[in-house]
Amino acid sequence: MSNCALPVNEARILLAHLLEKHYQLPRSALLSRDDMGLNEQAFEEWESLVSRRLHGEPIAYILGKKGFHNIELQVGPGVLIPRPETELLVEIALTDITKLNRATKVLDLGTGSGAIALSIASAAPLALLFATDQSEHALGIAKQNAEFLNLTDRVQFSQGSWYEALVQGNQFDVIVSNPPYIANQDPHLTQGDLRFEPESALTDYASGLSCLEVIIAGADQYLKAGGLIAVEHGFDQSQAVLELMKEAGLIDVQAHLDLAGHCRAASGRKRL
Ligand code: GLN
């Protein structure tokens, strides 16, 4: 491993994956068995994983999984890789759901791998989740994750663009969404992991605010009285998103800081 071209933390993650897969050894074997050699098959796979990573493929796609909040999700090309900053949205929703202390209907718009919906369902046994996505492929992965996590009885999936996936008249206690909010032409789209992720999960092909506009504008129709909407946005979009919420007639409009101290989420409430 010492002459490997990858950063040492990445090499460790890939090696731990192989030790588990080929030898059923835990990650701690990296230390306790540091004199161990890989058999031929494992070594060939090691070389292939290192080469994929050196070509830029995200670690989460190489391993086929990613930890998020209190669950682990299967991920692959075709779904956004869940990010730690999105856990903020889960926490905002869970605070409300816990306070309500009754069966709550929660809507996750643009669920991707199912990260937000499934982590809420997993942490809040009284929550009933509705998760939408315009991509059938993403919904396939999200449904598989619901099965692996044994949450299929409390999570319903439907295909369509934002609220179009829903039956008219359906109203929710909480709406959450991490929509594509990166502006068209943003240089980040051509860097790092983002090069391998579905473009339609990252950018709205416009200013970055167009999907947030649709989602916030629909909140009044799809929220129950007193219901909460919380959305993730880019680090420089806080003011614009708070304005959109106020224009939509929402009250108790708030910005939320992530662990790095950036405003990365906003919430608002429908009047009682
Ligand atoms: N948080 C992601 C990023 O900045 C973008 C995800 C999104 O557009 N919702 O890489």
Side-chain angles (χ1 to χ4, degrees), residues 28-45:
S28 56
L30 287 178
L31 297 172
S32 61
R33 304 284 299 273
D34 66 350
D35 55 345
M36 181 181 147
L38 293 180
N39 66 35
E40 200 177 325
Q41 198 193 356
F43 187 71
E44 266 175 30
E45 196 174 339

Side-chain angles (χ1 to χ4, degrees), residues 32-95:
S32 61
R33 304 284 299 273
D34 66 350
D35 55 345
M36 181 181 147
L38 293 180
N39 66 35
E40 200 177 325
Q41 198 193 356
F43 187 71
E44 266 175 30
E45 196 174 339
W46 161 252
E47 290 196 306
S48 140
L49 298 190
V50 169
S51 146
R52 284 168 66 186
R53 182 59 192 145
L54 288 173
H55 284 92
E57 202 175 324
I59 296 258
Y61 286 169
I62 296 176
L63 303 185
K65 61 186 182 186
K66 175 80 183 173
F68 177 78
H69 199 253
N70 51 359
I71 57 176
E72 184 167 88
L73 295 142
Q74 317 283 313
V75 294
V79 288
L80 189 81
I81 299 165
R83 311 278 204 270
E85 55 266 32
T86 306
E87 294 176 0
L88 176 59
L89 218 50
V90 174
E91 288 302 333
I92 296 168
L94 284 175
T95 304

Side-chain angles (χ1 to χ4, degrees), residues 80-81 83 85-86 177-182 188-189 193-194 197 199-204 232-235 264:
L80 189 81
I81 299 165
R83 311 278 204 270
E85 55 266 32
T86 306
S177 184
N178 172 23
Y181 50 69
I182 301 178
H188 290 104
L189 292 169
D193 284 3
L194 280 69
E197 293 180 289
E199 215 176 34
S200 63
L202 294 165
T203 177
D204 62 349
E232 180 172 313
H233 55 67
F235 73 98
R264 293 300 307 279

